Amino acid sequence: MLLRAAWRRAAVAVTAATGPKAAAPTRGLRLRVRDRAPQSAVPADTAAAPETGPVLRPLYMDVQATTPLDPRVLDAMLPYLVNYYGNPHSRTHAYGWESEAAMERARQQVASLIGADPREIVFTSGATESNNIAIKELEAAIQPDTSLVSVMTVNNEIGVKQPIAEIGRICSSRKVYFHTDAAQAVGKIPLDVNDMKIDLMSISGHKIYGPKGVGAVYIRRRPRVRVEALQSGGGQERGMRSGTVPTPLVVGLGAACEVAQQEMEYDHKRISKLAERLIQNIMKSLPDVVMNGDPEHHYPGCINLSFAYVEGESLLMALKDVALSSGSACTSASLEPSYVLRAIGTDEDLAHSSIRFGIGRFTTEEEVDYTVEKCIQHVKRLREMSPLWEMVQDGIDLKSIKWTQH
Amino acid sequence: MAASSRAQVLDLYRTMLRESKRFSAYNYRTYAVRRIRDAFRENKNVKDPVEIQTLVNKAKRDLGIIRRQVHIGQLYSTDKLIIENRDMPRT
């Protein structure tokens, strides 16, 4: 909260200082202004100070929060936002038919990525809605002997991969439904709903370089998994999710899934190398850095590091040229440390010092190197200012200190 | 149409790279250049003419995508990233 408020104040001050721009209106928040010789084209009609130079945007290292659209995805979507604007449920004319064809093509693309049948894919507004549909199934079919296991495939805060195939096998043998929220995993690690005995799966568009506002829920047909619709209406999506299916968005989701299927191996190899580079370079230059999460069962693109004796929020503010996070976006408004870190038994003080680095398809080696350089620089600087660090350097064991009770 | 010759493939490769360097977004630009280089390199020993033609056709479609998306990116371009002025333009 404090971070955002301070940044908004700074951004307003900066945009007030810069004069009118001649180019297309930029709506991005400016972070820094670099002083430079004034541009010639723009007449200085405002009474402001000498024209400041170009404003520079931070690097994006927060792919767990959301991902940029892959250009191939936008290219697939645009025709449906320009000319092919029919309602896919209109049965009586070509606009409807072409829109429906696109929707079904997208359904096949999503199904193909996870080894499912297209009839098992229901489009939703995102993984959250998909999760709600899947969990509500429990309430719909509540019997003494039915239950539901719900597990995240890849954790969004520390990147740990759950043993999905083993869990699936256990659930299947006990006749228990198995749901997984695969938002961070789909298209990044191989998933097959039949091999892993998954009954329900949530998929999110904007985590796999697709558009925001769309997702899907996979619902097994054999053996049939019954779900109750969350929203009622015209009975679309086999009655499981009423509402006009947003063709441009689902086309984007389908395209994102298809690209992910093609690029999975290439991306995984590259992201693994970059992750290794980031971790090694930070750890060889800084002592007392802990990586959170099981290193063996870990998705490389999500790196959560705790820097001892440094407060996470202050490190984030110091790294203002890099877009990072200290935990999941969905809980970032509160000041409490991550529930995930608490659950894996991280010390309270280390939990407050954690930063999550996200490496994705578009991350470059330069970006990783810059992030590492700034991280090392600011951790050293913050530690210099830290009395705890000073005590540790003097050989004091912090655990032995009796802090007074107030 | 005769199968794509080595010269045509190389020409396509150069055209794709040239077009990709025009992306105004740093991350798209670097990805496209890197991906094109790696993809052509990976497939450089393919001998089967049918497979070569399939790959060439896909590359041509991708070139179309790149052209359109480069243009759109330029229409909506924004400020550069913090690292763009620091290093020489390369992947």
Side-chain angles (χ1 to χ4, degrees):
Chain A
M1 297 282 251
L2 291 172
L3 194 66
R4 260 209 310 276
W7 195 42
R8 232 184 249 132
R9 275 200 298 277
V12 163
V14 163
T15 43
T18 41
K21 276 192 77 165
T26 43
R27 293 175 190 81
L29 273 179
R30 278 95 171 275
L31 191 69
R32 261 194 19 192
V33 176
R34 212 180 37 147
D35 283 291
R36 225 193 59 174
Q39 297 266 28
S40 55
V42 180
D45 53 319
T46 49
E51 173 76 356
T52 44
V55 172
L56 302 168
R57 287 172 69 75
L59 307 184
Y60 190 72
M61 300 287 291
D62 198 18
V63 286
Q64 279 72 36
T66 193
T67 54
L69 271 187
D70 191 298
R72 291 165 282 200
V73 168
L74 181 60
D75 201 71
M77 289 171 69
L78 276 166
Y80 298 91
L81 290 163
V82 180
N83 292 313
Y84 304 147
Y85 50 78
N87 184 321
H89 313 293
S90 298
R91 324 223 67 174
T92 58
H93 49 70
Y95 288 88
W97 305 330
E98 76 197 349
S99 188
E100 187 190 18
M103 176 178 73
E104 293 309 322
R105 202 162 41 237
R107 203 185 298 279
Q108 173 61 62
Q109 287 166 323
V110 176
S112 162
L113 182 58
I114 59 172
D117 184 286
R119 291 168 293 181
E120 298 173 306
I121 302 291
V122 171
F123 289 119
T124 62
S125 64
T128 302
E129 187 187 343
S130 303
N131 285 339
N132 277 277
I133 292 175
I135 306 295
K136 197 140 191 288
E137 192 280 338
L138 174 64
E139 296 190 305
I142 195 83
Q143 309 258 321
D145 52 354
T146 45
S147 56
L148 173 73
V149 166
S150 177
V151 164
M152 262 177 142
T153 321
V154 168
N155 181 273
N156 60 330
E157 291 195 34
I158 57 181
V160 161
K161 294 198 309 209
Q162 299 297 344
I164 295 297
E166 282 90 271
I167 299 175
R169 206 179 39 242
I170 296 170
C171 288
S172 165
S173 63
R174 307 277 182 91
K175 301 275 187 286
V176 162
Y177 293 118
F178 179 34
H179 163 255
T180 182
D181 180 345
Q184 300 284 351
V186 165
K188 302 192 179 132
I189 58 173
L191 291 173
D192 187 296
V193 292
N194 292 315
D195 290 348
M196 297 170 166
K197 301 203 180 352
I198 295 171
D199 297 309
L200 294 148
M201 180 194 279
S202 303
I203 295 165
S204 172
H206 73 110
K207 304 288 167 63
I208 56 172
Y209 313 96
K212 297 172 183 56
V214 69
V217 58
Y218 159 78
I219 303 169
R220 177 172 286 282
R221 286 180 91 235
R222 299 239 178 89
R224 182 162 294 260
V225 175
R226 298 212 169 279
V227 295
E228 194 178 295
L230 281 184
Q231 54 191 62
S232 55
Q236 288 86 358
E237 295 295 279
R238 298 167 187 272
M240 292 195 253
R241 200 268 183 181
S242 293
T244 302
V245 171
T247 304
L249 293 178
V250 306
V251 164
L253 175 61
C257 288
E258 187 170 271
V259 169
Q261 194 164 12
Q262 290 162 1
E263 302 287 350
M264 202 185 310
E265 195 187 321
Y266 178 87
D267 283 347
H268 194 272
K269 232 184 273 180
R270 220 182 60 88
I271 289 172
S272 301
K273 267 205 342 247
L274 289 177
E276 190 61 28
R277 188 182 178 94
L278 187 146
I279 296 169
Q280 290 306 319
N281 287 347
I282 286 181
M283 290 202 167
K284 78 174 186 230
S285 304
L286 289 174
D288 301 307
V289 177
V290 173
M291 182 166 118
N292 298 306
D294 186 339
E296 267 196 45
H297 303 282
H298 185 257
Y299 170 65
C302 174
I303 302 160
N304 191 303
L305 299 177
S306 282
F307 299 91
Y309 321 112
V310 172
E311 217 276 328
E313 290 283 309
S314 38
L315 182 54
L316 276 187
M317 284 185 79
L319 290 169
K320 59 181 169 18
D321 294 332
V322 185
L324 290 164
S325 150
S326 67
S328 72
C330 24
T331 60
S332 60
S334 75
L335 286 175
E336 280 196 22
S338 144
Y339 72 98
V340 174
L341 291 182
R342 205 173 16 205
I344 62 172
T346 307
D347 264 349
E348 185 82 22
D349 45 339
L350 273 187
H352 274 290
S353 345
S354 70
I355 303 282
R356 177 184 69 188
F357 300 86
I359 297 178
R361 178 181 296 160
F362 300 102
T363 311
T364 66
E365 201 175 89
E366 282 72 34
E367 288 177 309
V368 167
D369 289 347
Y370 182 88
T371 303
V372 165
E373 180 193 321
K374 289 292 161 187
C375 185
I376 293 170
Q377 176 192 336
H378 287 289
V379 166
K380 282 186 174 159
R381 189 182 57 85
L382 287 168
R383 279 178 173 169
E384 289 297 306
M385 298 194 289
S386 161
L388 285 180
W389 175 249
E390 209 180 296
M391 290 196 278
V392 165
Q393 299 296 86
D394 290 339
I396 300 172
D397 172 21
L398 294 184
K399 297 256 181 281
S400 69
I401 296 177
K402 293 260 185 298
W403 304 104
T404 46
Q405 301 277 37
H406 288 292
Chain B
M1 190 186 114
S4 293
S5 68
R6 181 187 147 80
Q8 286 172 319
V9 169
L10 281 175
D11 193 56
L12 184 56
Y13 175 65
R14 273 189 292 265
T15 307
M16 289 180 86
L17 282 182
R18 197 170 49 235
E19 195 60 36
S20 296
K21 288 177 185 165
R22 298 177 55 223
F23 264 116
S24 65
Y26 168 87
N27 292 99
Y28 290 160
R29 186 172 65 244
T30 52
Y31 176 79
V33 167
R34 181 191 330 125
R35 190 70 189 92
I36 290 165
R37 283 205 186 120
D38 289 347
F40 275 80
R41 188 168 303 145
E42 189 187 322
N43 290 310
K44 73 175 182 216
N45 293 319
V46 171
K47 295 279 176 275
D48 173 27
V50 171
E51 200 185 331
I52 291 177
Q53 196 55 48
T54 309
L55 290 168
V56 164
N57 290 342
K58 173 154 197 320
K60 286 184 176 162
R61 283 198 301 275
D62 286 342
L63 176 57
I65 294 175
I66 292 170
R67 283 201 215 275
R68 288 189 292 274
Q69 294 303 313
V70 159
H71 186 58
I72 287 173
Q74 287 168 348
L75 294 173
Y76 288 90
S77 67
T78 184
D79 309 305
K80 290 193 189 300
L81 293 185
I82 189 76
I83 54 170
E84 285 191 70
N85 54 328
R86 275 170 44 128
D87 47 30
M88 289 296 114
R90 58 187 178 94
T91 44

